[in-house]
PDB file of all heavy atoms in Angstrom:
ATOM      1  N   VAL A 165     -16.311 -21.483 211.901  1.00 97.00           N
ATOM      2  CA  VAL A 165     -15.987 -20.042 211.859  1.00 97.00           C
ATOM      3  C   VAL A 165     -17.217 -19.159 211.592  1.00 97.00           C
ATOM      4  O   VAL A 165     -18.038 -19.649 210.767  1.00 97.00           O
ATOM      5  CB  VAL A 165     -14.993 -19.743 210.928  1.00 97.00           C
ATOM      6  CG1 VAL A 165     -14.618 -18.219 210.711  1.00 97.00           C
ATOM      7  CG2 VAL A 165     -13.596 -20.414 211.304  1.00 97.00           C
ATOM      8  N   ALA A 166     -17.294 -18.083 212.398  1.00 97.00           N
ATOM      9  CA  ALA A 166     -18.229 -17.074 212.147  1.00 97.00           C
ATOM     10  C   ALA A 166     -17.536 -15.789 211.630  1.00 97.00           C
ATOM     11  O   ALA A 166     -16.635 -15.277 212.460  1.00 97.00           O
ATOM     12  CB  ALA A 166     -19.246 -16.699 213.249  1.00 97.00           C
ATOM     13  N   SER A 167     -17.645 -15.230 210.526  1.00 95.00           N
ATOM     14  CA  SER A 167     -16.833 -14.232 209.983  1.00 95.00           C
ATOM     15  C   SER A 167     -17.717 -12.951 209.484  1.00 95.00           C
ATOM     16  O   SER A 167     -18.868 -13.207 209.032  1.00 95.00           O
ATOM     17  CB  SER A 167     -15.944 -14.720 208.844  1.00 95.00           C
ATOM     18  OG  SER A 167     -16.711 -14.946 207.675  1.00 95.00           O
ATOM     19  N   LEU A 168     -17.094 -11.881 209.580  1.00 93.00           N
ATOM     20  CA  LEU A 168     -17.740 -10.730 209.128  1.00 93.00           C
ATOM     21  C   LEU A 168     -16.646  -9.872 208.238  1.00 93.00           C
ATOM     22  O   LEU A 168     -15.649  -9.568 208.757  1.00 93.00           O
ATOM     23  CB  LEU A 168     -18.138  -9.777 210.314  1.00 93.00           C
ATOM     24  CG  LEU A 168     -18.816  -8.411 209.921  1.00 93.00           C
ATOM     25  CD1 LEU A 168     -20.101  -8.657 209.128  1.00 93.00           C
ATOM     26  CD2 LEU A 168     -19.021  -7.613 211.179  1.00 93.00           C
ATOM     27  N   THR A 169     -17.013  -9.491 207.088  1.00 86.00           N
ATOM     28  CA  THR A 169     -16.118  -8.787 206.156  1.00 86.00           C
ATOM     29  C   THR A 169     -16.411  -7.356 206.213  1.00 86.00           C
ATOM     30  O   THR A 169     -17.521  -6.983 206.071  1.00 86.00           O
ATOM     31  CB  THR A 169     -16.223  -9.363 204.756  1.00 86.00           C
ATOM     32  OG1 THR A 169     -15.982 -10.825 204.654  1.00 86.00           O
ATOM     33  CG2 THR A 169     -15.250  -8.712 203.761  1.00 86.00           C
ATOM     34  N   SER A 170     -15.390  -6.578 206.243  1.00 83.00           N
ATOM     35  CA  SER A 170     -15.650  -5.106 206.379  1.00 83.00           C
ATOM     36  C   SER A 170     -14.600  -4.512 205.469  1.00 83.00           C
ATOM     37  O   SER A 170     -13.556  -5.051 205.243  1.00 83.00           O
ATOM     38  CB  SER A 170     -15.476  -4.561 207.834  1.00 83.00           C
ATOM     39  OG  SER A 170     -14.126  -4.751 208.324  1.00 83.00           O
ATOM     40  N   GLY A 171     -14.955  -3.310 204.978  1.00 77.00           N
ATOM     41  CA  GLY A 171     -13.979  -2.617 204.047  1.00 77.00           C
ATOM     42  C   GLY A 171     -13.187  -1.524 204.842  1.00 77.00           C
ATOM     43  O   GLY A 171     -13.329  -1.155 205.992  1.00 77.00           O
ATOM     44  N   GLY A 172     -12.082  -1.119 204.237  1.00 75.00           N
ATOM     45  CA  GLY A 172     -11.207  -0.093 204.674  1.00 75.00           C
ATOM     46  C   GLY A 172     -10.071   0.142 203.679  1.00 75.00           C
ATOM     47  O   GLY A 172     -10.136  -0.256 202.544  1.00 75.00           O
ATOM     48  N   THR A 173      -9.081   0.786 204.159  1.00 78.00           N
ATOM     49  CA  THR A 173      -7.893   1.200 203.379  1.00 78.00           C
ATOM     50  C   THR A 173      -6.589   0.749 204.226  1.00 78.00           C
ATOM     51  O   THR A 173      -6.620   0.827 205.402  1.00 78.00           O
ATOM     52  CB  THR A 173      -7.761   2.675 203.141  1.00 78.00           C
ATOM     53  OG1 THR A 173      -7.756   3.416 204.262  1.00 78.00           O
ATOM     54  CG2 THR A 173      -9.004   3.058 202.191  1.00 78.00           C
ATOM     55  N   ASP A 174      -5.558   0.303 203.396  1.00 78.00           N
ATOM     56  CA  ASP A 174      -4.297  -0.040 204.056  1.00 78.00           C
ATOM     57  C   ASP A 174      -3.310   1.290 204.175  1.00 78.00           C
ATOM     58  O   ASP A 174      -3.780   2.284 203.832  1.00 78.00           O
ATOM     59  CB  ASP A 174      -3.565  -1.144 203.325  1.00 78.00           C
ATOM     60  CG  ASP A 174      -3.286  -0.792 201.849  1.00 78.00           C
ATOM     61  OD1 ASP A 174      -3.389   0.421 201.584  1.00 78.00           O
ATOM     62  OD2 ASP A 174      -2.939  -1.676 201.054  1.00 78.00           O
ATOM     63  N   ALA A 175      -2.079   0.963 204.606  1.00 81.00           N
ATOM     64  CA  ALA A 175      -1.205   2.076 204.783  1.00 81.00           C
ATOM     65  C   ALA A 175      -0.924   2.810 203.474  1.00 81.00           C
ATOM     66  O   ALA A 175      -0.461   3.936 203.498  1.00 81.00           O
ATOM     67  CB  ALA A 175       0.075   1.455 205.479  1.00 81.00           C
ATOM     68  N   GLN A 176      -0.990   2.015 202.364  1.00 83.00           N
ATOM     69  CA  GLN A 176      -0.752   2.731 201.020  1.00 83.00           C
ATOM     70  C   GLN A 176      -1.912   3.351 200.385  1.00 83.00           C
ATOM     71  O   GLN A 176      -1.825   3.959 199.299  1.00 83.00           O
ATOM     72  CB  GLN A 176      -0.160   1.682 200.149  1.00 83.00           C
ATOM     73  CG  GLN A 176       1.283   1.200 200.424  1.00 83.00           C
ATOM     74  CD  GLN A 176       1.319   0.372 201.678  1.00 83.00           C
ATOM     75  OE1 GLN A 176       0.347  -0.518 201.869  1.00 83.00           O
ATOM     76  NE2 GLN A 176       2.325   0.409 202.428  1.00 83.00           N
ATOM     77  N   GLY A 177      -3.092   3.340 201.187  1.00 81.00           N
ATOM     78  CA  GLY A 177      -4.252   3.983 200.623  1.00 81.00           C
ATOM     79  C   GLY A 177      -5.070   2.995 199.742  1.00 81.00           C
ATOM     80  O   GLY A 177      -6.160   3.526 199.110  1.00 81.00           O
ATOM     81  N   ASN A 178      -4.721   1.777 199.561  1.00 85.00           N
ATOM     82  CA  ASN A 178      -5.521   0.856 198.821  1.00 85.00           C
ATOM     83  C   ASN A 178      -6.769   0.350 199.526  1.00 85.00           C
ATOM     84  O   ASN A 178      -6.750   0.216 200.847  1.00 85.00           O
ATOM     85  CB  ASN A 178      -4.653  -0.320 198.547  1.00 85.00           C
ATOM     86  CG  ASN A 178      -3.409  -0.037 197.679  1.00 85.00           C
ATOM     87  OD1 ASN A 178      -3.466   0.820 196.749  1.00 85.00           O
ATOM     88  ND2 ASN A 178      -2.348  -0.581 197.974  1.00 85.00           N
ATOM     89  N   ARG A 179      -7.841   0.185 198.847  1.00 84.00           N
ATOM     90  CA  ARG A 179      -8.996  -0.382 199.451  1.00 84.00           C
ATOM     91  C   ARG A 179      -8.837  -1.870 199.734  1.00 84.00           C
ATOM     92  O   ARG A 179      -8.365  -2.627 198.908  1.00 84.00           O
ATOM     93  CB  ARG A 179     -10.216  -0.120 198.558  1.00 84.00           C
ATOM     94  CG  ARG A 179     -10.627   1.364 198.387  1.00 84.00           C
ATOM     95  CD  ARG A 179     -11.947   1.489 197.689  1.00 84.00           C
ATOM     96  NE  ARG A 179     -13.071   0.798 198.303  1.00 84.00           N
ATOM     97  CZ  ARG A 179     -13.731   1.250 199.359  1.00 84.00           C
ATOM     98  NH1 ARG A 179     -13.418   2.368 199.926  1.00 84.00           N
ATOM     99  NH2 ARG A 179     -14.726   0.474 199.880  1.00 84.00           N
ATOM    100  N   VAL A 180      -9.303  -2.262 201.007  1.00 81.00           N
ATOM    101  CA  VAL A 180      -9.013  -3.735 201.375  1.00 81.00           C
ATOM    102  C   VAL A 180     -10.274  -4.155 202.013  1.00 81.00           C
ATOM    103  O   VAL A 180     -11.244  -3.485 202.359  1.00 81.00           O
ATOM    104  CB  VAL A 180      -7.932  -3.788 202.428  1.00 81.00           C
ATOM    105  CG1 VAL A 180      -6.567  -3.517 201.775  1.00 81.00           C
ATOM    106  CG2 VAL A 180      -8.234  -3.020 203.716  1.00 81.00           C
ATOM    107  N   ALA A 181     -10.505  -5.457 201.919  1.00 79.00           N
ATOM    108  CA  ALA A 181     -11.595  -6.157 202.579  1.00 79.00           C
ATOM    109  C   ALA A 181     -11.060  -7.036 203.665  1.00 79.00           C
ATOM    110  O   ALA A 181     -10.214  -7.935 203.394  1.00 79.00           O
ATOM    111  CB  ALA A 181     -12.384  -7.106 201.592  1.00 79.00           C
ATOM    112  N   VAL A 182     -11.413  -6.724 204.948  1.00 83.00           N
ATOM    113  CA  VAL A 182     -10.766  -7.406 206.149  1.00 83.00           C
ATOM    114  C   VAL A 182     -11.773  -8.398 206.585  1.00 83.00           C
ATOM    115  O   VAL A 182     -12.953  -8.072 206.931  1.00 83.00           O
ATOM    116  CB  VAL A 182     -10.418  -6.446 207.236  1.00 83.00           C
ATOM    117  CG1 VAL A 182      -9.816  -7.219 208.347  1.00 83.00           C
ATOM    118  CG2 VAL A 182      -9.467  -5.405 206.715  1.00 83.00           C
ATOM    119  N   ASP A 183     -11.390  -9.708 206.562  1.00 86.00           N
ATOM    120  CA  ASP A 183     -12.259 -10.729 207.059  1.00 86.00           C
ATOM    121  C   ASP A 183     -11.952 -11.030 208.540  1.00 86.00           C
ATOM    122  O   ASP A 183     -11.054 -11.715 208.841  1.00 86.00           O
ATOM    123  CB  ASP A 183     -12.009 -12.060 206.196  1.00 86.00           C
ATOM    124  CG  ASP A 183     -12.990 -13.233 206.425  1.00 86.00           C
ATOM    125  OD1 ASP A 183     -13.946 -12.886 207.023  1.00 86.00           O
ATOM    126  OD2 ASP A 183     -12.642 -14.303 206.110  1.00 86.00           O
ATOM    127  N   HIS A 184     -12.927 -10.571 209.413  1.00 91.00           N
ATOM    128  CA  HIS A 184     -12.705 -10.796 210.794  1.00 91.00           C
ATOM    129  C   HIS A 184     -13.404 -12.134 211.223  1.00 91.00           C
ATOM    130  O   HIS A 184     -14.619 -12.401 210.926  1.00 91.00           O
ATOM    131  CB  HIS A 184     -13.397  -9.716 211.599  1.00 91.00           C
ATOM    132  CG  HIS A 184     -13.011  -8.288 211.332  1.00 91.00           C
ATOM    133  ND1 HIS A 184     -11.868  -7.675 211.855  1.00 91.00           N
ATOM    134  CD2 HIS A 184     -13.402  -7.346 210.352  1.00 91.00           C
ATOM    135  CE1 HIS A 184     -11.637  -6.532 211.436  1.00 91.00           C
ATOM    136  NE2 HIS A 184     -12.532  -6.262 210.508  1.00 91.00           N
ATOM    137  N   ARG A 185     -12.575 -13.071 211.716  1.00 94.00           N
ATOM    138  CA  ARG A 185     -13.104 -14.377 211.960  1.00 94.00           C
ATOM    139  C   ARG A 185     -13.009 -14.805 213.426  1.00 94.00           C
ATOM    140  O   ARG A 185     -11.935 -14.475 214.080  1.00 94.00           O
ATOM    141  CB  ARG A 185     -12.235 -15.514 211.148  1.00 94.00           C
ATOM    142  CG  ARG A 185     -12.282 -15.122 209.730  1.00 94.00           C
ATOM    143  CD  ARG A 185     -11.804 -16.334 208.849  1.00 94.00           C
ATOM    144  NE  ARG A 185     -10.425 -16.780 209.166  1.00 94.00           N
ATOM    145  CZ  ARG A 185      -9.875 -17.965 208.587  1.00 94.00           C
ATOM    146  NH1 ARG A 185     -10.511 -18.575 207.766  1.00 94.00           N
ATOM    147  NH2 ARG A 185      -8.646 -18.196 209.016  1.00 94.00           N
ATOM    148  N   VAL A 186     -14.012 -15.351 213.899  1.00 95.00           N
ATOM    149  CA  VAL A 186     -13.967 -15.957 215.263  1.00 95.00           C
ATOM    150  C   VAL A 186     -14.597 -17.370 215.103  1.00 95.00           C
ATOM    151  O   VAL A 186     -15.544 -17.672 214.503  1.00 95.00           O
ATOM    152  CB  VAL A 186     -14.939 -15.211 216.271  1.00 95.00           C
ATOM    153  CG1 VAL A 186     -14.963 -15.819 217.586  1.00 95.00           C
ATOM    154  CG2 VAL A 186     -14.474 -13.721 216.231  1.00 95.00           C
ATOM    155  N   GLY A 187     -13.875 -18.333 215.794  1.00 95.00           N
ATOM    156  CA  GLY A 187     -14.253 -19.741 215.668  1.00 95.00           C
ATOM    157  C   GLY A 187     -14.073 -20.690 216.810  1.00 95.00           C
ATOM    158  O   GLY A 187     -13.472 -20.095 217.802  1.00 95.00           O
TER     159      GLY A 187
END
Side-chain angles (χ1 to χ4, degrees):
V165 175
S167 70
L168 177 65
T169 302
S170 62
T173 58
D174 61 10
Q176 289 73 35
N178 300 316
R179 292 188 58 81
V180 297
V182 182
D183 186 18
H184 302 274
R185 304 196 300 177
V186 181

